[in-house]
Amino acid sequence: MRTCCESKHILYNINVISWESINADIVFVHGLLGGPFKTWRQQDRKGPGADKSSDGTESVKKGTYTFCWPKDWLAKDCGNIRILSVEYDTDLSTWNANCPFETEKRSLTVRASSILQKLQKADIGSRPIIWVGHSMGGLLIKQILSIADDTPGLDNIVNNTVGVLFYSTPHRGSSLAHLSNQASLIVAPTVEVKEMGRDSPMLRRLHKDFQQLVMEHGIPCLSFGELEKTQIRTPKLKMLIVPPESSDPGIGEFHAMKTSHLNICKPWDRDSELYTETLKFIRRCLLQGRIENILKAGMTFKDSDR
């Protein structure tokens, strides 16, 4: 029986394909106040010339809108992949949380450990893996890889990682954490909000470990950063949740996009730069994964001949 204080971490298999035909796994991890599907929807149509229904209902009927682009676009553009999406509880304030107690269970380390256990049960690590994270989801991915790298028997998770993709991940902290000083906006900020403070020692240590891991294993990275401010609670307050100096990890490719924090992971359509660059990167990583598997198979064959 699960108590209210136990963090909810659920994996969703977004695209159902034959188990035997899976060549790679792509794992999506959302951020604060996100969800396993709503984070990865297409950007809503609003303003002049947009569809009448802002939630995209009419566009869905026309076949021009998707509520989950990894399922409707990515699964079709990249064959023989399994796409998983992680769900976990997130809140800005303990006053809003489903369970405000046992806050240590909401830390990055504990969350990452719990998610990692479920990923293992889902057979993550037996084939090439590409990780995709939005905002705090990217930090969780880094923590998952760090734990796997330091835990005997989990080296397959890191060894099979062929790519990591970040959408506005606060590698050096988020401006959101500083809103906790303004009681009218965030009262009693949660552990996850506090952990994302600017120049956080924990974030610096995590990023240093991640940089070393990426260099040692030759893992490609692609990052996107926001350039447009996001409205926070009141119309008068707008801010860059994760400024470019924080969303740029200093490794791999980085693209600063003219969009907000909430829309950085929501492509306008399949032809938008956000999606085409994402698709190009994932395809390149999948090709690398296939090549590595062929090389491993060749080495195994030679060893068996000795």
Side-chain angles (χ1 to χ4, degrees):
M1 180 176 179
R2 186 167 72 89
T3 67
C4 73
C5 289
E6 290 183 287
S7 299
K8 177 179 65 175
H9 300 102
I10 300 174
L11 302 179
Y12 290 93
N13 187 3
I14 289 182
N15 60 322
V16 181
I17 62 176
S18 171
W19 190 264
E20 293 77 15
S21 65
I22 301 174
N23 292 328
D25 292 314
I26 304 181
V27 181
F28 285 77
V29 187
H30 66 80
L32 280 175
L33 303 180
F37 296 99
K38 73 176 182 179
T39 292
W40 313 110
R41 69 179 186 270
Q42 182 180 359
Q43 191 175 145
D44 290 339
R45 285 352 193 201
K46 294 180 181 179
D51 291 302
K52 294 180 180 179
S53 178
S54 62
D55 66 0
T57 303
E58 186 63 28
S59 296
V60 170
K61 294 179 181 178
K62 296 178 181 178
T64 59
Y65 187 93
T66 175
F67 285 113
C68 184
W69 61 261
K71 175 181 182 294
D72 294 330
W73 298 350
L74 189 60
K76 295 176 182 176
D77 291 334
C78 296
N80 298 330
I81 58 172
R82 180 176 60 149
I83 301 175
L84 297 175
S85 187
V86 175
E87 179 182 19
Y88 61 97
D89 293 323
T90 64
D91 289 285
L92 298 181
S93 169
T94 55
W95 284 19
N96 299 324
N98 292 331
C99 179
F101 306 107
E102 298 186 33
T103 55
E104 69 277 1
K105 291 187 177 181
R106 306 180 69 89
S107 69
L108 279 175
T109 302
V110 176
R111 284 188 190 276
S113 297
S114 179
I115 292 172
L116 181 56
Q117 292 175 11
K118 289 178 171 57
L119 290 171
Q120 284 182 275
K121 293 178 181 179
D123 200 35
I124 293 295
S126 63
R127 59 183 70 86
I129 314 163
I130 298 173
W131 304 87
V132 184
H134 173 239
S135 194
M136 194 183 82
L139 299 180
L140 280 169
I141 289 170
K142 290 162 64 176
Q143 188 69 67
I144 287 170
L145 291 174
S146 179
I147 293 172
D149 195 44
D150 291 337
T151 305
L154 294 183
D155 56 328
N156 61 320
I157 298 284
V158 177
N159 291 336
N160 278 314
T161 292
V162 295
V164 183
L165 201 160
F166 298 111
Y167 292 103
S168 281
T169 290
H171 300 287
R172 297 171 183 83
S174 168
S175 303
L176 187 65
H178 292 271
L179 291 181
S180 61
N181 295 324
Q182 302 181 40
S184 60
L185 295 174
I186 300 181
V187 180
T190 55
V191 171
E192 50 263 64
V193 171
K194 292 178 181 178
E195 285 187 321
M196 291 194 297
R198 291 177 193 156
D199 298 320
S200 159
M202 185 275 293
L203 290 186
R204 287 203 301 269
R205 183 173 60 253
L206 177 62
H207 194 55
K208 182 179 179 180
D209 292 343
F210 178 72
Q211 287 179 312
Q212 183 176 346
L213 182 148
V214 164
M215 288 188 289
E216 287 180 357
H217 295 271
I219 301 172
C221 295
L222 172 63
S223 303
F224 294 97
E226 69 213 54
L227 290 177
E228 293 184 357
K229 295 180 178 181
T230 300
Q231 182 177 309
I232 307 296
R233 294 289 178 91
T234 62
K236 293 183 179 180
L237 179 59
K238 289 187 177 182
M239 65 188 305
L240 288 175
I241 303 296
V242 183
E245 58 267 25
S246 182
S247 57
D248 184 355
I251 46 178
E253 297 179 46
F254 176 73
H255 298 269
M257 310 295 290
K258 291 183 178 180
T259 189
S260 68
H261 186 73
L262 297 179
N263 286 329
I264 190 68
C265 53
K266 298 175 178 61
W268 181 257
D269 55 34
R270 289 176 86 163
D271 295 322
S272 67
E273 181 183 358
L274 192 61
Y275 181 71
T276 56
E277 288 296 326
T278 292
L279 179 60
K280 184 168 64 174
F281 175 77
I282 289 176
R283 282 176 169 171
R284 190 162 66 241
C285 293
L286 292 175
L287 177 60
Q288 175 184 321
R290 293 191 191 103
I291 293 173
E292 290 179 356
N293 279 344
I294 292 172
L295 292 176
K296 289 177 183 177
M299 292 175 65
T300 303
F301 180 73
K302 287 182 180 179
D303 290 340
S304 64
D305 260 1
R306 292 177 182 177

